[in-house]
Coordinates of all heavy atoms in Angstrom, one line a residue:
M1 N 229.8 165.8 13.4 CA 229.6 166.2 12.0 C 230.5 165.3 11.1 O 231.6 165.2 11.4 CB 229.8 167.6 11.8 CG 229.4 168.3 10.5 SD 227.7 168.3 10.1 CE 227.3 169.9 10.4
A2 N 230.0 165.0 9.9 CA 230.8 164.3 8.9 C 232.0 165.1 8.5 O 231.9 166.2 8.4 CB 230.0 163.8 7.8
S3 N 233.2 164.5 8.2 CA 234.3 165.1 7.8 C 234.2 165.6 6.5 O 234.8 166.6 6.1 CB 235.5 164.2 8.0 OG 235.3 163.2 7.2
D4 N 233.5 164.9 5.5 CA 233.3 165.5 4.2 C 231.9 165.9 3.8 O 231.1 165.1 3.4 CB 233.7 164.3 3.1 CG 233.5 164.7 1.7 OD1 233.4 165.8 1.3 OD2 233.6 163.8 0.8
I5 N 231.8 167.2 4.2 CA 230.4 167.7 4.0 C 230.1 168.2 2.6 O 229.1 168.9 2.4 CB 229.9 168.7 5.1 CG1 230.8 169.9 5.0 CG2 230.0 168.0 6.4 CD1 230.2 171.1 5.8
S6 N 230.9 167.9 1.7 CA 230.7 168.2 0.2 C 229.5 167.3 -0.2 O 228.8 167.6 -1.3 CB 231.9 168.1 -0.6 OG 232.4 166.8 -0.6
N7 N 229.3 166.2 0.4 CA 228.2 165.2 0.0 C 227.0 165.5 0.9 O 227.0 165.3 2.1 CB 228.7 163.8 0.2 CG 227.7 162.7 -0.2 OD1 226.6 162.8 0.0 ND2 228.3 161.6 -0.7
A8 N 225.9 165.9 0.2 CA 224.7 166.2 1.0 C 224.1 165.1 1.7 O 223.6 165.3 2.8 CB 223.6 166.7 -0.1
T9 N 224.4 163.9 1.3 CA 223.9 162.7 2.0 C 224.6 162.6 3.4 O 224.0 162.3 4.4 CB 224.1 161.4 1.3 OG1 223.4 161.5 0.0 CG2 223.6 160.2 1.9
L10 N 225.9 162.8 3.4 CA 226.6 162.7 4.6 C 226.2 163.9 5.6 O 226.2 163.7 6.8 CB 228.1 162.8 4.3 CG 228.8 161.7 3.6 CD1 230.3 162.0 3.3 CD2 228.6 160.5 4.4
V11 N 225.9 165.0 5.0 CA 225.5 166.1 5.9 C 224.1 165.7 6.6 O 224.0 165.8 7.8 CB 225.1 167.4 5.1 CG1 224.6 168.5 5.9 CG2 226.5 167.9 4.5
V12 N 223.1 165.3 5.9 CA 221.9 164.8 6.5 C 222.1 163.7 7.4 O 221.5 163.7 8.5 CB 220.8 164.6 5.3 CG1 219.6 164.1 6.0 CG2 220.5 165.8 4.6
Q13 N 222.9 162.8 7.0 CA 223.1 161.6 7.9 C 223.7 162.1 9.2 O 223.4 161.6 10.3 CB 224.1 160.7 7.3 CG 224.3 159.3 8.1 CD 223.1 158.5 8.3 OE1 222.4 158.2 7.2 NE2 222.6 158.2 9.5
S14 N 224.7 163.1 9.2 CA 225.2 163.6 10.5 C 224.2 164.2 11.4 O 224.2 164.1 12.6 CB 226.4 164.6 10.2 OG 226.0 165.7 9.7
W15 N 223.2 164.9 10.7 CA 222.2 165.5 11.4 C 221.2 164.4 12.0 O 220.9 164.5 13.2 CB 221.3 166.5 10.6 CG 222.0 167.7 10.1 CD1 223.2 168.2 10.8 CD2 221.7 168.5 9.0 NE1 223.6 169.3 10.0 CE2 222.6 169.5 9.0 CE3 220.7 168.4 8.1 CZ2 222.6 170.6 8.1 CZ3 220.6 169.5 7.1 CH2 221.5 170.4 7.1
Y16 N 221.0 163.4 11.3 CA 220.1 162.3 11.7 C 220.7 161.6 12.9 O 220.1 161.0 13.8 CB 219.7 161.4 10.6 CG 218.7 160.3 11.0 CD1 217.4 160.6 11.1 CD2 219.2 159.0 11.2 CE1 216.4 159.6 11.5 CE2 218.4 158.0 11.7 CZ 216.9 158.3 11.8 OH 216.1 157.4 12.2
D17 N 222.1 161.4 12.8 CA 222.8 160.7 13.8 C 222.7 161.2 15.3 O 223.0 160.6 16.2 CB 224.3 160.5 13.4 CG 224.4 159.4 12.3 OD1 223.5 158.7 12.0 OD2 225.6 159.5 11.7
E18 N 222.3 162.5 15.3 CA 222.1 163.2 16.5 C 221.0 162.4 17.3 O 220.9 162.6 18.5 CB 221.8 164.7 16.4 CG 222.9 165.5 16.0 CD 222.4 167.0 15.8 OE1 221.2 167.3 16.1 OE2 223.3 167.8 15.5
G19 N 220.2 161.7 16.6 CA 219.0 161.0 17.2 C 219.4 160.0 18.2 O 218.7 159.6 19.1
N20 N 220.8 159.6 18.3 CA 221.3 158.7 19.2 C 221.4 159.3 20.6 O 221.3 158.7 21.5 CB 222.7 158.3 18.9 CG 222.8 157.4 17.5 OD1 221.8 156.7 17.2 ND2 223.8 157.5 16.8
K21 N 221.4 160.7 20.6 CA 221.4 161.3 21.9 C 220.0 161.9 22.3 O 219.7 162.5 23.4 CB 222.2 162.6 21.8 CG 223.7 162.4 21.3 CD 224.4 163.6 21.1 CE 225.6 163.5 20.4 NZ 226.2 164.7 19.9
Y22 N 218.9 161.8 21.5 CA 217.6 162.2 21.8 C 216.9 161.4 22.9 O 217.0 160.2 22.8 CB 216.7 162.2 20.5 CG 215.4 163.0 20.7 CD1 215.4 164.4 20.8 CD2 214.2 162.4 20.8 CE1 214.2 165.1 20.9 CE2 213.1 163.0 21.0 CZ 213.0 164.4 21.1 OH 211.9 165.1 21.3
N23 N 216.4 162.1 23.8 CA 215.6 161.4 24.9 C 214.2 161.4 24.6 O 213.4 162.3 24.8 CB 215.8 162.2 26.2 CG 215.3 161.5 27.4 OD1 214.5 160.5 27.4 ND2 215.7 162.0 28.6
Y24 N 213.7 160.2 24.2 CA 212.2 160.0 23.8 C 211.4 160.0 25.0 O 210.2 160.2 25.0 CB 212.1 158.8 23.0 CG 212.7 158.7 21.7 CD1 213.9 158.3 21.4 CD2 212.0 159.4 20.6 CE1 214.5 158.4 20.2 CE2 212.6 159.5 19.3 CZ 213.8 159.0 19.2 OH 214.4 159.1 17.9
Q25 N 211.9 159.7 26.2 CA 211.2 159.7 27.5 C 211.0 161.2 28.0 O 210.1 161.4 28.8 CB 211.9 159.0 28.6 CG 211.6 157.5 28.7 CD 211.6 156.8 27.3 OE1 212.7 156.8 26.7 NE2 210.6 156.2 26.9
N26 N 211.8 162.1 27.5 CA 211.6 163.6 27.8 C 211.8 164.4 26.6 O 212.8 165.1 26.5 CB 212.7 164.0 28.9 CG 212.5 165.3 29.4 OD1 211.4 166.0 29.3 ND2 213.6 165.9 29.9
P27 N 210.9 164.3 25.8 CA 211.0 165.0 24.4 C 210.9 166.5 24.6 O 209.9 167.1 25.0 CB 209.7 164.4 23.6 CG 208.8 164.0 24.7 CD 209.6 163.6 25.9
S28 N 212.0 167.0 24.1 CA 212.1 168.5 24.2 C 213.3 169.0 23.5 O 214.0 168.2 22.8 CB 212.3 169.0 25.7 OG 213.4 168.3 26.2
Y29 N 213.5 170.4 23.4 CA 214.7 171.0 22.7 C 215.9 170.7 23.4 O 216.0 170.8 24.6 CB 214.4 172.4 22.5 CG 215.5 173.0 21.9 CD1 215.7 173.0 20.4 CD2 216.5 173.7 22.6 CE1 216.8 173.6 19.8 CE2 217.6 174.3 21.9 CZ 217.7 174.3 20.5 OH 218.8 174.8 19.9
S30 N 217.0 170.5 22.7 CA 218.3 170.3 23.2 C 219.3 170.7 22.0 O 219.1 170.4 20.9 CB 218.7 168.9 23.5 OG 220.1 168.8 23.7
T31 N 220.2 171.5 22.3 CA 221.2 171.9 21.3 C 222.0 170.7 20.7 O 222.4 170.8 19.5 CB 222.2 173.0 21.8 OG1 223.0 172.4 22.9 CG2 221.6 174.1 22.2
D32 N 222.1 169.6 21.5 CA 222.7 168.4 21.0 C 221.9 167.6 20.0 O 222.4 166.8 19.2 CB 223.0 167.4 22.2 CG 224.1 167.9 23.1 OD1 224.9 168.7 22.6 OD2 224.1 167.5 24.2
T33 N 220.7 167.9 20.0 CA 219.7 167.1 18.9 C 218.9 168.0 18.1 O 217.9 167.6 17.4 CB 218.8 166.1 19.8 OG1 218.0 166.9 20.6 CG2 219.6 165.1 20.5
A34 N 219.2 169.3 18.0 CA 218.3 170.3 17.3 C 218.1 169.9 15.8 O 217.1 169.9 15.2 CB 218.8 171.6 17.5
Q35 N 219.3 169.6 15.1 CA 219.2 169.2 13.7 C 218.4 168.0 13.6 O 217.6 167.9 12.6 CB 220.5 169.1 13.1 CG 221.4 170.4 12.8 CD 222.0 170.9 14.2 OE1 221.3 171.5 15.1 NE2 223.3 170.8 14.4
F36 N 218.7 166.9 14.3 CA 217.9 165.7 14.2 C 216.4 166.0 14.4 O 215.7 165.5 13.6 CB 218.4 164.7 15.3 CG 217.3 163.6 15.5 CD1 217.4 162.6 14.6 CD2 216.5 163.6 16.6 CE1 216.4 161.5 14.8 CE2 215.7 162.5 16.9 CZ 215.5 161.5 16.0
V37 N 216.0 166.7 15.3 CA 214.7 166.9 15.6 C 213.9 167.6 14.4 O 212.9 167.2 13.9 CB 214.3 167.8 16.8 CG1 213.0 168.3 16.9 CG2 214.8 167.0 18.1
Q38 N 214.6 168.6 13.8 CA 214.1 169.2 12.6 C 214.0 168.3 11.4 O 213.1 168.4 10.6 CB 214.9 170.5 12.3 CG 214.2 171.3 11.2 CD 212.9 171.9 11.7 OE1 212.9 172.9 12.4 NE2 211.8 171.4 11.4
V39 N 215.0 167.4 11.2 CA 215.0 166.5 10.1 C 213.8 165.5 10.2 O 213.2 165.2 9.2 CB 216.3 165.7 10.0 CG1 216.2 164.5 9.0 CG2 217.5 166.6 9.6
V40 N 213.5 165.1 11.3 CA 212.4 164.0 11.5 C 211.0 164.7 11.8 O 210.1 164.0 12.0 CB 212.8 162.9 12.6 CG1 214.1 162.3 12.1 CG2 212.8 163.5 14.0
W41 N 211.0 166.0 12.1 CA 209.7 166.7 12.5 C 208.6 166.3 11.7 O 208.5 166.6 10.5 CB 210.0 168.2 12.6 CG 209.0 168.9 13.3 CD1 207.9 169.7 12.9 CD2 208.9 169.0 14.8 NE1 207.3 170.3 13.9 CE2 207.9 169.9 15.1 CE3 209.6 168.5 15.8 CZ2 207.5 170.3 16.4 CZ3 209.3 168.8 17.1 CH2 208.2 169.7 17.4
K42 N 207.6 165.5 12.2 CA 206.5 165.0 11.4 C 205.6 166.1 10.6 O 205.2 165.8 9.6 CB 205.5 164.2 12.4 CG 204.4 163.5 11.6 CD 203.6 162.6 12.6 CE 202.6 161.9 12.0 NZ 201.7 161.2 12.9
A43 N 205.5 167.2 11.3 CA 204.7 168.3 10.7 C 205.4 169.2 9.6 O 204.7 170.0 8.9 CB 204.1 169.2 11.8
T44 N 206.7 168.8 9.4 CA 207.4 169.7 8.3 C 206.7 169.4 7.0 O 206.5 168.3 6.5 CB 208.9 169.3 8.4 OG1 209.5 169.6 9.5 CG2 209.6 170.0 7.2
N45 N 206.4 170.5 6.3 CA 205.8 170.4 5.0 C 206.6 171.2 3.9 O 206.3 171.1 2.7 CB 204.4 170.8 5.0 CG 204.2 172.2 5.5 OD1 204.9 173.0 5.3 ND2 203.1 172.3 6.3
T46 N 207.7 171.9 4.3 CA 208.4 172.7 3.4 C 209.8 172.7 3.9 O 210.2 172.8 4.9 CB 207.9 174.2 3.3 OG1 206.5 174.2 3.1 CG2 208.6 175.0 2.4
L47 N 210.7 172.5 2.8 CA 212.1 172.4 3.1 C 212.9 173.1 1.9 O 212.6 172.9 0.7 CB 212.6 171.0 3.1 CG 214.0 170.6 3.1 CD1 214.7 171.2 4.4 CD2 214.3 169.1 3.1
G48 N 214.0 173.9 2.3 CA 214.8 174.5 1.4 C 216.3 174.4 1.9 O 216.5 174.7 3.1
C49 N 217.1 174.0 1.1 CA 218.6 173.8 1.5 C 219.5 174.5 0.5 O 219.2 174.5 -0.6 CB 219.0 172.3 1.7 SG 218.1 171.5 3.0
G50 N 220.6 174.8 1.0 CA 221.7 175.5 0.0 C 223.0 175.1 0.7 O 223.2 174.9 1.9
R51 N 224.1 175.4 -0.1 CA 225.4 175.1 0.5 C 226.4 176.1 -0.4 O 226.0 176.5 -1.5 CB 225.9 173.8 0.3 CG 226.3 173.4 -1.1 CD 227.0 172.0 -1.2 NE 227.4 171.8 -2.6 CZ 228.1 170.8 -3.1 NH1 228.3 169.8 -2.3 NH2 228.5 170.8 -4.2
T52 N 227.4 176.5 0.2 CA 228.4 177.3 -0.4 C 229.7 176.9 0.1 O 229.9 176.5 1.1 CB 228.1 178.8 0.0 OG1 229.0 179.6 -0.8 CG2 228.4 179.2 1.4
L53 N 230.6 177.1 -0.8 CA 232.0 176.6 -0.6 C 232.8 177.9 0.0 O 232.7 179.0 -0.6 CB 232.8 176.3 -1.9 CG 234.3 175.8 -1.7 CD1 234.3 174.6 -0.8 CD2 234.8 175.6 -3.1
C54 N 233.4 177.8 1.1 CA 234.1 178.9 1.8 C 235.5 178.5 2.3 O 235.7 177.2 2.4 CB 233.3 179.5 2.9 SG 232.0 178.6 3.7
N55 N 236.3 179.5 2.6 CA 237.6 179.2 3.1 C 237.4 179.0 4.6 O 236.9 179.9 5.3 CB 238.5 180.4 2.9 CG 239.0 180.4 1.5 OD1 239.1 179.4 0.9 ND2 239.2 181.7 0.9
G56 N 237.7 177.9 5.1 CA 237.5 177.5 6.4 C 238.7 177.7 7.2 O 239.6 178.7 6.9
K57 N 238.8 177.2 8.4 CA 239.9 177.5 9.3 C 241.2 177.2 8.7 O 241.4 176.3 8.0 CB 239.7 176.5 10.5 CG 240.7 176.7 11.7 CD 240.2 175.9 12.9 CE 241.0 176.1 14.1 NZ 240.7 175.4 15.2
N58 N 242.2 178.0 8.9 CA 243.5 177.9 8.3 C 243.4 178.0 6.7 O 244.3 177.4 6.2 CB 244.3 176.7 8.9 CG 244.4 176.7 10.4 OD1 244.6 177.7 11.0 ND2 244.2 175.6 11.0
G59 N 242.5 178.5 6.2 CA 242.5 178.5 4.7 C 242.0 177.3 4.0 O 242.1 177.2 2.9
V60 N 241.7 176.3 4.8 CA 241.2 175.0 4.2 C 239.7 175.2 3.8 O 238.9 175.4 4.6 CB 241.3 173.8 5.3 CG1 240.8 172.6 4.6 CG2 242.8 173.6 5.7
P61 N 239.5 175.0 2.5 CA 238.1 175.1 2.0 C 237.2 174.1 2.6 O 237.5 173.0 2.9 CB 238.1 175.0 0.5 CG 239.4 174.3 0.2 CD 240.3 174.5 1.5
G62 N 235.9 174.5 2.7 CA 234.9 173.7 3.2 C 233.5 174.2 2.8 O 233.4 175.3 2.4
Y63 N 232.5 173.3 3.0 CA 231.2 173.7 2.6 C 230.4 174.1 3.8 O 230.6 173.5 4.9 CB 230.4 172.6 2.0 CG 230.8 172.4 0.5 CD1 231.8 171.4 0.2 CD2 230.2 173.2 -0.6 CE1 232.2 171.3 -1.2 CE2 230.7 172.9 -1.8 CZ 231.6 172.1 -2.1 OH 232.0 172.0 -3.4
F64 N 229.5 175.3 3.7 CA 228.7 175.6 4.7 C 227.3 175.2 4.1 O 227.0 175.6 3.0 CB 228.7 177.0 5.0 CG 227.7 177.6 5.9 CD1 227.9 177.5 7.3 CD2 226.5 178.2 5.5 CE1 227.0 178.0 8.2 CE2 225.5 178.7 6.3 CZ 225.8 178.6 7.8
V65 N 226.5 174.4 4.9 CA 225.2 173.9 4.5 C 224.2 174.4 5.5 O 224.4 174.4 6.7 CB 225.1 172.3 4.5 CG1 223.8 171.9 4.1 CG2 226.3 171.8 3.6
R66 N 223.1 175.0 4.9 CA 222.0 175.6 5.7 C 220.7 175.1 5.1 O 220.5 175.1 3.9 CB 222.1 177.1 5.7 CG 221.0 177.7 6.5 CD 221.2 177.5 8.0 NE 220.1 178.0 8.8 CZ 220.2 179.0 9.7 NH1 221.5 179.4 10.1 NH2 219.2 179.4 10.3
C67 N 219.7 174.6 6.0 CA 218.5 174.3 5.6 C 217.4 175.1 6.3 O 217.6 175.4 7.5 CB 218.2 172.8 5.8 SG 219.2 171.8 4.7
F68 N 216.3 175.4 5.8 CA 215.2 176.0 6.4 C 213.9 175.1 6.3 O 213.7 174.6 5.2 CB 214.9 177.4 5.9 CG 216.0 178.5 6.1 CD1 217.0 178.5 5.2 CD2 216.0 179.2 7.2 CE1 218.0 179.4 5.5 CE2 217.0 180.1 7.5 CZ 218.0 180.2 6.6
Y69 N 213.3 174.9 7.4 CA 212.1 174.0 7.4 C 211.0 174.8 7.8 O 211.1 175.8 8.6 CB 212.3 173.0 8.5 CG 213.6 172.1 8.3 CD1 214.8 172.5 8.7 CD2 213.5 170.8 7.7 CE1 215.8 171.8 8.5 CE2 214.6 170.0 7.6 CZ 215.8 170.5 7.9 OH 216.9 169.7 7.9
L70 N 209.7 174.5 7.3 CA 208.5 175.0 7.9 C 207.5 173.9 8.1 O 207.4 173.0 7.4 CB 207.8 175.9 6.8 CG 208.5 177.3 6.6 CD1 207.9 178.0 5.4 CD2 208.5 178.1 7.8
P71 N 206.9 173.8 9.2 CA 207.0 174.8 10.3 C 208.3 174.6 11.1 O 208.9 173.4 11.1 CB 205.8 174.5 11.2 CG 205.5 173.1 11.1 CD 205.8 172.9 9.6
W72 N 208.9 175.7 11.6 CA 210.0 175.6 12.4 C 209.8 174.8 13.6 O 208.7 175.1 14.3 CB 210.7 177.0 12.5 CG 212.0 176.9 13.3 CD1 213.0 176.2 13.1 CD2 212.2 177.9 14.5 NE1 214.0 176.7 14.0 CE2 213.4 177.5 14.9 CE3 211.5 178.8 15.2 CZ2 214.1 178.2 15.9 CZ3 212.0 179.5 16.2 CH2 213.3 179.2 16.6
V73 N 210.5 173.9 14.2 CA 210.3 173.2 15.4 C 209.7 174.1 16.6 O 208.8 173.7 17.2 CB 211.5 172.4 15.8 CG1 211.5 171.9 17.3 CG2 211.8 171.3 14.9
N74 N 210.6 175.1 17.0 CA 210.1 175.8 18.1 C 208.8 176.6 17.9 O 208.3 177.1 18.9 CB 211.3 176.8 18.5 CG 212.5 176.1 19.0 OD1 212.4 175.0 19.5 ND2 213.7 176.6 19.0
A75 N 208.4 176.7 16.6 CA 207.1 177.4 16.4 C 205.9 176.6 17.0 O 205.0 177.2 17.4 CB 206.9 177.7 14.9
T76 N 205.9 175.4 17.0 CA 204.9 174.6 17.5 C 205.2 173.9 18.9 O 204.4 173.8 19.6 CB 204.5 173.5 16.5 OG1 205.7 172.7 16.2 CG2 204.1 174.0 15.2
G77 N 206.4 173.4 19.0 CA 206.9 172.9 20.3 C 206.2 171.6 20.6 O 206.4 171.2 21.8
D78 N 205.5 171.0 19.8 CA 204.8 169.7 20.2 C 205.7 168.5 19.9 O 205.4 167.8 19.0 CB 203.5 169.6 19.4 CG 202.7 168.5 20.0 OD1 203.0 167.9 21.0 OD2 201.5 168.2 19.3
Y79 N 206.7 168.3 20.8 CA 207.7 167.3 20.5 C 207.1 165.8 20.4 O 207.5 165.1 19.6 CB 208.8 167.4 21.5 CG 209.8 168.5 21.2 CD1 209.4 169.8 21.6 CD2 211.0 168.4 20.5 CE1 210.2 171.0 21.3 CE2 211.7 169.5 20.2 CZ 211.3 170.7 20.6 OH 212.0 171.9 20.3
P80 N 206.3 165.5 21.5 CA 205.8 164.0 21.4 C 205.1 163.7 20.1 O 205.2 162.5 19.7 CB 204.8 164.0 22.7 CG 205.4 165.0 23.5 CD 205.9 166.1 22.7
A81 N 204.4 164.6 19.6 CA 203.6 164.2 18.4 C 204.4 164.3 17.1 O 204.0 163.7 16.1 CB 202.5 165.2 18.3
N82 N 205.5 165.0 17.1 CA 206.3 165.3 16.0 C 207.6 164.5 15.9 O 208.3 164.4 14.8 CB 206.5 166.7 15.7 CG 205.3 167.3 15.3 OD1 204.9 167.3 14.1 ND2 204.7 168.1 16.2
V83 N 208.2 164.1 17.0 CA 209.4 163.2 17.0 C 209.1 161.9 17.5 O 208.9 161.8 18.8 CB 210.5 164.0 17.9 CG1 211.7 163.1 17.8 CG2 210.7 165.4 17.4
Q84 N 208.9 161.0 16.7 CA 208.5 159.7 17.1 C 209.7 158.7 17.1 O 210.6 158.8 16.3 CB 207.4 159.1 16.3 CG 206.2 160.0 16.4 CD 205.2 159.8 15.4 OE1 205.2 159.1 14.5 NE2 203.9 160.4 15.5
A85 N 209.8 157.8 18.1 CA 210.8 156.8 18.2 C 210.8 156.0 17.0 O 209.9 155.5 16.5 CB 210.6 156.0 19.4
P86 N 212.1 155.6 16.6 CA 212.3 154.7 15.5 C 211.7 153.3 15.9 O 211.4 153.0 16.9 CB 213.8 154.5 15.4 CG 214.3 155.6 16.0 CD 213.4 156.1 17.1
M87 N 211.2 152.6 14.8 CA 210.5 151.3 15.1 C 211.3 150.3 15.9 O 210.6 149.7 16.7 CB 210.1 150.6 13.7 CG 209.2 151.4 12.8 SD 207.6 151.7 13.6 CE 207.0 150.0 13.5
N88 N 212.6 150.4 15.9 CA 213.3 149.5 16.7 C 213.4 150.0 18.2 O 214.0 149.2 19.1 CB 214.7 149.3 16.2 CG 215.7 150.5 16.1 OD1 215.1 151.6 16.4 ND2 216.8 150.4 15.8
Q89 N 212.8 151.2 18.4 CA 212.9 151.6 19.9 C 211.5 151.7 20.4 O 211.3 152.2 21.6 CB 213.5 153.0 20.0 CG 214.9 153.0 19.7 CD 215.5 154.4 19.9 OE1 215.1 155.1 20.7 NE2 216.8 154.6 19.2
C90 N 210.4 151.2 19.7 CA 209.1 151.2 20.3 C 208.8 150.2 21.3 O 209.5 149.1 21.3 CB 208.1 151.0 19.0 SG 208.0 152.3 17.9

């Protein structure tokens, strides 16, 4: 995860970067790539995000970011059709 998550771009980039671990030969759910899969999920048609500043570990403030997507990945489970390899991996 990016160290400065006050920047929404960095948050989304950190989720997308999980794609480096995604196995396109065995497309399925993994906790290591769950955020990536939801970000690129082809069938997603609704997105809502929010963030809040909170006191983190040892009193150091930080942002908590949460997004909700529809449809939710596990609701459909059709990974091959919804998570497609980047053009440079085709």
Side-chain angles (χ1 to χ4, degrees):
M1 183 72 101
S3 60
D4 177 14
I5 63 168
S6 62
N7 181 323
T9 302
L10 292 176
V11 171
V12 175
Q13 185 64 53
S14 72
W15 293 340
Y16 185 79
D17 288 346
E18 289 181 359
N20 296 328
K21 302 175 197 169
Y22 190 75
N23 184 349
Y24 293 94
Q25 272 45 63
N26 184 24
S28 60
Y29 177 80
S30 165
T31 56
D32 289 338
T33 60
Q35 288 80 281
F36 162 74
V37 167
Q38 191 65 79
V39 166
V40 301
W41 197 256
K42 185 177 178 181
T44 294
N45 57 38
T46 305
L47 169 65
C49 296
R51 75 173 187 178
T52 188
L53 180 61
C54 20
N55 287 325
K57 190 174 184 180
N58 300 323
V60 177
Y63 284 95
F64 177 80
V65 178
R66 180 68 188 238
C67 293
F68 291 93
Y69 303 80
L70 288 175
W72 181 50
V73 165
N74 289 338
T76 58
D78 191 6
Y79 287 82
N82 284 286
V83 182
Q84 299 171 350
M87 295 301 289
N88 63 354
Q89 294 187 23
C90 291

